[in-house]
Amino acid sequence: MVIAPERIAVAGPSITEREVELVAEATRHGWYSRHYEYNRRFEEMMAGYIGVAHAIAVPHATSALHLILASLGVGPGDEVIVPDVTWIASVAPITYVGAEPVLVDILPDTWCLDPAAVAAAIGPRTKAILAVDLYGSMCDWPALQQLADRHGLHLIEDAAEALGSRLNGKAAGSLGIAAAFSFHGSKTVVTGEGGMLVTNDTGLYQRALVLCDHGRPVGDTSFLNHEIAFKYRMNGITAALGVAQMERVEELVAHKRRILGWYRERLAGHNAITLNAEPEGVINSAWMSTVVIDPALKFDKFHLIGELSRRNIDTRPFFSPLSSLPAFADRAAARRFVTDRDKGVAIARYGINLPSAQNMTEDKADIVSRALMEVLATANN
Ligand SMILES: *Cc1c(COP(=O)(O)O)cnc(C)c1O
């Protein structure tokens, strides 16, 4: 049996002396007139990297999505179309503003929203489409934009997993009216917990600035709040960590792509294995190298995860369909358009994320690949 000599982690960052240095500097000096200096630097670097006009550093991607929805005025009585297969953080903020998520199927190849399923779910209450660039894949943004334009809907991008991905030269995060990024410790650029709202829409940006600071007009020093809102600012020390990581963003994304390349070389020839899609025109930043095992083998993901764990390798399950979770049991309205149960379920039931941490080496990818093929060889026994 293939056994990794040391446990291989599924996700994790790369931290150098530069990160430590900037955090120490912010801790010493990021106060008084320099309060929010690191936030501004982090925001400028992100906006520049994505190629958008505005960015706001926030506590997490969850709060960025909440702010986007609130800034657009999405609220009670509205519906927002979202993929059935994503992390729950894509969807929970829709409920925070009192709107109803409407779950629809994903495509079997890119694992992103199926535009035909979106079209079928649009109704009189639909206010927005919230699309997710899953595991670094790119959605069919032109098709989604066409639907949004035809029906007068907001198109929102959850790019939490797609920093560094591109579609026809456009960066993930620049494709909807606004996008959310995450800097959770498992993501490609980390600040521990953290997120960013990015947008080209100046009106949305200005509204979000007010809503993220307890309803104070920008620059207010009188403490006379105009409305009750939220407190969603990133702290400056966290932002300093983000600045140091963004100095290295090209290197961090390149390593993610290198890891996917190592797996591709070793696994792409295996006819039961499908890896992250990278169709013409797409650069997939491969936040998580992910495999989907041919459903015909009926190789349940949790069984696979257990077998790899015995071999000292950590993996994660492909996100399970939200419509199948206890959290959505009493949300029949949210589940009403999930028609093609087999499509989403098949991918989600037979997929796992392979180790994709920044400390991955080619040797480790080799061990993981051999272990995976060893486990799959037992499929028909
Ligand atoms: C990680 C993630 C989020 C949430 O990020 P937080 O910073 O933890 O709030 C949202 N959507 C997707 C698709 C994610 O993977």
Side-chain angles (χ1 to χ4, degrees):
M1 188 165 88
V2 177
I3 298 190
E6 277 178 62
R7 192 133 192 110
I8 300 178
V10 69
S14 158
I15 301 295
T16 65
E17 280 307 308
R18 178 61 179 160
E19 280 82 353
V20 176
E21 178 187 302
L22 268 193
V23 168
E25 183 187 296
T27 308
R28 288 200 183 90
H29 305 297
W31 313 102
Y32 299 99
S33 62
R34 295 178 67 181
H35 197 58
Y36 287 137
E37 172 185 315
Y38 295 91
N39 294 56
R40 274 193 296 275
R41 281 169 65 183
F42 190 22
E43 288 162 354
E44 279 167 17
M45 290 172 98
M46 272 295 286
Y49 182 69
I50 307 302
V52 294
H54 311 290
I56 306 174
V58 292
H60 22 64
T62 305
S63 45
L65 290 170
H66 187 189
L67 272 179
I68 292 168
L69 292 161
S71 300
L72 290 169
V74 176
D78 296 333
E79 292 182 346
V80 179
I81 296 173
V82 283
D84 186 24
V85 181
T86 180
W87 177 229
I88 196 167
S90 308
V91 175
I94 297 165
T95 70
Y96 302 170
V97 296
E100 187 68 60
V102 173
L103 307 169
V104 306
D105 294 315
I106 58 171
L107 291 165
D109 50 357
T110 62
W111 311 329
C112 290
L113 266 182
D114 178 350
V118 172
I122 293 172
R125 282 146 59 114
T126 309
K127 194 74 181 269
I129 302 166
L130 197 164
V132 183
D133 300 316
L134 205 73
Y135 302 134
S137 266
M138 292 305 287
C139 300
D140 186 347
W141 286 101
L144 295 174
Q145 189 64 59
Q146 229 175 30
L147 283 170
D149 291 345
R150 187 177 318 146
H151 297 275
L153 309 175
H154 302 300
L155 181 58
I156 301 165
E157 183 174 13
D158 180 349
E161 303 182 355
L163 186 68
S165 292
R166 290 183 167 269
L167 173 65
N168 301 326
K170 286 189 173 172
S174 70
L175 291 142
I177 185 165
F181 284 99
S182 172
F183 310 115
H184 179 263
S186 66
K187 296 291 186 347
T188 299
V189 158
V190 308
T191 60
E193 296 281 2
M196 192 81 72
L197 182 165
V198 299
T199 184
N200 274 316
D201 189 297
T202 302
L204 188 155
Y205 170 64
Q206 282 168 347
R207 183 74 186 125
L209 280 179
V210 172
L211 289 179
C212 78
D213 197 17
H214 279 312
R216 293 169 66 176
V218 175
D220 165 69
T221 51
S222 62
F223 298 89
L224 301 171
N225 308 65
H226 287 206
E227 61 189 303
I228 297 174
F230 318 108
K231 185 60 200 287
Y232 283 156
R233 302 295 303 258
M234 179 181 276
N235 83 73
I237 294 163
T238 301
L241 183 46
V243 170
Q245 286 268 285
M246 281 307 290
E247 289 176 355
R248 302 175 54 224
V249 63
E250 302 284 1
E251 168 200 340
L252 297 175
V253 170
H255 194 58
K256 288 287 189 183
R257 285 177 53 75
R258 195 175 302 127
I259 296 165
L260 179 60
W262 289 331
Y263 288 128
R264 229 186 256 299
E265 280 168 24
R266 289 161 176 79
L267 299 171
H270 197 296
N271 57 15
I273 296 178
T274 304
L275 280 146
N276 310 52
E278 197 165 46
E280 184 83 32
V282 168
I283 293 174
N284 189 323
S285 61
W287 168 55
M288 281 283 177
S289 287
T290 299
V291 289
V292 175
I293 309 305
D294 183 352
L297 294 186
K298 301 213 176 305
F299 219 88
D300 180 83
K301 63 186 172 188
F302 293 110
H303 173 67
L304 195 49
I305 288 167
E307 284 299 318
L308 289 168
S309 182
R310 289 209 299 141
R311 289 162 174 79
N312 224 8
I313 296 166
D314 277 333
T315 56
R316 280 188 191 169
F318 205 105
F319 296 124
S320 294
L322 295 169
S323 59
S324 72
L325 302 182
F328 285 82
D330 62 355
R331 286 191 175 265
R335 290 185 276 111
R336 72 188 192 274
F337 286 107
V338 183
T339 50
D340 190 356
R341 297 289 306 154
D342 274 350
K343 197 164 29 174
V345 169
I347 304 159
R349 187 178 294 163
Y350 303 114
I352 60 168
N353 305 130
L354 298 179
S356 308
Q358 288 289 347
N359 68 2
M360 279 297 288
T361 61
E362 186 160 12
D363 284 348
K364 289 189 200 174
D366 198 63
I367 293 167
V368 174
S369 301
R370 284 192 288 117
L372 177 62
M373 287 190 286
E374 178 179 89
V375 176
L376 290 182
T378 66
N380 296 320
N381 302 341

